[in-house]
Amino acid sequence: MHFCIMNFTKTQTSLASHLECSKCKKSYSLHELQTFATCCNKPLVVQYHATESLDTSDLKDRKSTMWRYREMLPVLDDANIVSLGEGMTPILPLKRLAAQLELNDLQMKDESLNPTGSFKARGLSMAVSKAKEFGVEHCVVPTAGNAGGAMAAYCASAGIKATVIMPSHTPKIFQEECQYFGAELILVKGLINQCGALSAKIEKEQGAFNISTLKEPYRLEGKKTMGYEIAEQMNWQLPDVILYPTGGGTGLLGIWKAFHEMIDLGWLSADTKLPRMIVVQAANCSPVVDSLNGISKDISAYTESLANGLAVPVAFGQDMIHRVVRESGGTSVTVSEQEMIDGVKEMAKQEGVLVAPEGAALWKAIPKLIASGEISRSEKILMINTGSGYKYLENLN
């Protein structure tokens, strides 16, 4: 792949300083189009010159999108921002469901209201913006569904060629979405790891920028804005527990990164008690849960799930996910396919929200976590619903 090197001469709004290997901390240039850290074969993470001169009051009159946290995002020139209005999704109280389980405080951040109907819009807005900044002409992504549609939309807005590689069993709505946005769609028999292998081949042969999960450093930066929003929307008082549906885990890692950046900025006090981060996976495909529990399985043991985003048999950032769970005092749990179906229906009937199966998995995980003593009924619990249930109706029938 050809690496572009850009010389940015205009005044930089971003406080981004460099990229860093997530394992050994080796520095990489922010001014070259990077993929992952070749030193350790691990994800690269953007680092910032966080300064306490940046105050929360500065946010007051800014647009209600993820770009309100502009200084802590890695795009160097505003002209390169590719935005469709992503971010600042609502946090909804789930009072009827809370009463059902005798919970004091149950809330849900509803990412289904992002462009293209999922949280993937955040990461792809950022990654495509950086691709535009470096003059990239072709992007490729392996996807279980939502990431493909998001990349196709943002590439369409940026005028960049898009190739989306998707499992052939993915519901047609995800396939058609990519085609409507003008992307080249390639269907592969298997799970997202097979799609990833083809994506790497296209990267090598055609020079496309490969936007695989954590194989580039920018999607993480878009996803982390969920953490900034959670703090701001909750008046800088964080929940006790955050439940996150974990496939590749970028959102979980991003939220945790955001909390630490806000401590560096002085937006959160140094002694802030950070939430326990809880990984929720599909019982059909639970590599992170298994590894956290010391269980080793062959990759072939993991199969597809009706929650497309959870059908990730290998997470490139798995060691990073482990670190967040352990640092936060969190845990992990699995939910069956039938439980997810039941959860979607229960949440729709009780709260009027049609969530993705990934979001419903969180609701069905809570009784298990209460029973195991991992969650107390008196705690403030936040679920992250990552996408719209409307796109999954074909899966639920």
Side-chain angles (χ1 to χ4, degrees):
M1 177 179 179
H2 174 68
F3 291 90
C4 305
I5 301 177
M6 302 293 283
N7 181 24
F8 297 98
T9 55
K10 71 169 288 176
T11 302
Q12 182 178 320
T13 303
S14 173
L15 295 173
S17 58
H18 63 285
L19 299 168
E20 188 176 273
C21 172
S22 59
K23 184 177 181 180
C24 75
K25 310 304 180 186
K26 178 181 176 180
S27 290
Y28 286 74
S29 172
L30 192 70
H31 296 277
E32 297 178 33
L33 183 64
Q34 306 281 6
T35 53
F36 54 90
T38 52
C39 53
C40 299
N41 195 36
K42 295 292 181 182
L44 280 171
V45 179
V46 183
Q47 300 298 321
Y48 295 83
H49 292 300
T51 169
E52 293 194 13
S53 63
L54 185 62
D55 192 79
T56 55
S57 62
D58 297 330
L59 303 173
K60 182 182 175 186
D61 297 318
R62 296 189 179 184
K63 291 182 180 179
S64 292
T65 74
M66 73 176 195
W67 295 95
R68 66 195 283 105
Y69 311 110
R70 179 70 186 88
E71 291 86 350
M72 298 301 291
L73 298 174
V75 177
L76 304 184
D77 184 343
D78 287 1
N80 295 316
I81 292 174
V82 184
S83 175
L84 297 172
E86 54 291 325
M88 202 43 77
T89 55
I91 294 178
L92 307 174
L94 303 179
K95 294 181 180 179
R96 287 166 59 84
L97 291 175
Q100 187 175 314
L101 291 182
E102 300 180 340
L103 304 173
N104 277 8
D105 191 342
L106 177 64
Q107 300 183 65
M108 178 183 77
K109 188 160 176 63
D110 191 4
E111 288 292 292
S112 72
L113 299 180
N114 277 303
T116 69
S118 88
F119 72 141
K120 299 290 186 180
R122 296 177 186 267
L124 273 303
S125 171
M126 191 66 62
V128 172
S129 293
K130 287 301 294 183
K132 180 182 177 182
E133 189 147 78
F134 284 107
V136 169
E137 297 178 351
H138 182 191
C139 292
V140 60
V141 70
T143 178
N146 275 313
M151 192 193 79
Y154 285 95
C155 280
S157 180
I160 294 173
K161 178 183 176 181
T163 298
V164 176
I165 306 170
M166 185 180 288
S168 56
H169 62 260
T170 307
K172 283 189 168 43
I173 187 170
F174 292 98
Q175 300 179 30
E176 292 169 353
E177 178 184 39
C178 297
Q179 292 169 323
Y180 271 112
F181 289 128
E184 175 191 14
L185 176 66
I186 301 174
L187 299 178
V188 172
K189 188 174 181 179
L191 298 179
I192 194 170
N193 52 312
Q194 277 92 4
C195 298
L198 181 54
S199 190
K201 183 180 179 185
I202 289 173
E203 173 188 14
K204 183 177 180 180
E205 294 179 354
Q206 299 182 30
F209 180 39
N210 187 349
I211 310 185
S212 299
T213 300
L214 293 173
K215 294 287 182 72
E216 53 74 47
Y218 310 115
R219 284 174 67 177
L220 177 65
E221 296 303 296
K223 295 280 189 69
K224 82 177 182 188
T225 57
M226 288 187 286
Y228 280 88
E229 289 175 21
I230 288 166
E232 185 179 0
Q233 289 172 306
M234 291 187 162
N235 197 28
W236 313 104
Q237 301 295 314
L238 300 180
D240 297 304
V241 180
I242 294 178
L243 280 79
Y244 195 86
T246 305
T250 315
L252 177 96
L253 300 174
I255 291 170
W256 192 247
K257 183 176 190 281
F259 292 157
H260 284 280
E261 288 178 354
M262 285 185 281
I263 290 172
D264 292 340
L265 287 165
W267 292 7
L268 296 173
S269 66
D271 59 356
T272 297
K273 184 180 178 184
L274 299 181
R276 303 193 305 283
M277 305 297 288
I278 297 182
V279 164
V280 180
Q281 292 200 299
N284 286 8
C285 193
S286 56
V288 175
V289 175
D290 288 341
S291 62
L292 283 167
N293 290 320
I295 299 169
S296 178
K297 290 183 182 177
D298 188 87
I299 191 173
S300 62
Y302 301 120
T303 59
E304 64 188 78
S305 170
L306 63 91
N308 301 323
L310 298 184
V312 181
V314 180
F316 186 58
Q318 185 163 285
D319 57 338
M320 297 171 70
I321 298 170
H322 285 196
R323 200 179 309 145
V324 169
V325 172
R326 288 171 179 150
E327 283 179 7
S328 71
T331 189
S332 62
V333 65
T334 63
V335 174
S336 73
E337 301 295 288
Q338 188 59 52
E339 285 175 315
M340 283 188 264
I341 294 171
D342 293 344
V344 170
K345 294 176 180 178
E346 288 169 18
M347 293 183 73
K349 290 176 181 177
Q350 291 293 318
E351 297 286 357
V353 291
L354 190 56
V355 303
E358 292 90 338
L362 307 179
W363 163 241
K364 300 305 286 187
I366 291 175
K368 301 181 182 188
L369 293 161
I370 292 172
S372 66
E374 296 288 351
I375 287 181
S376 164
R377 286 185 167 89
S378 63
E379 292 185 297
K380 180 181 284 189
I381 302 166
L382 179 65
M383 306 191 308
I384 311 292
N385 172 47
T386 50
S388 171
Y390 291 97
K391 296 174 77 171
Y392 288 79
L393 292 179
E394 183 183 331
N395 275 24
L396 297 171
N397 293 331

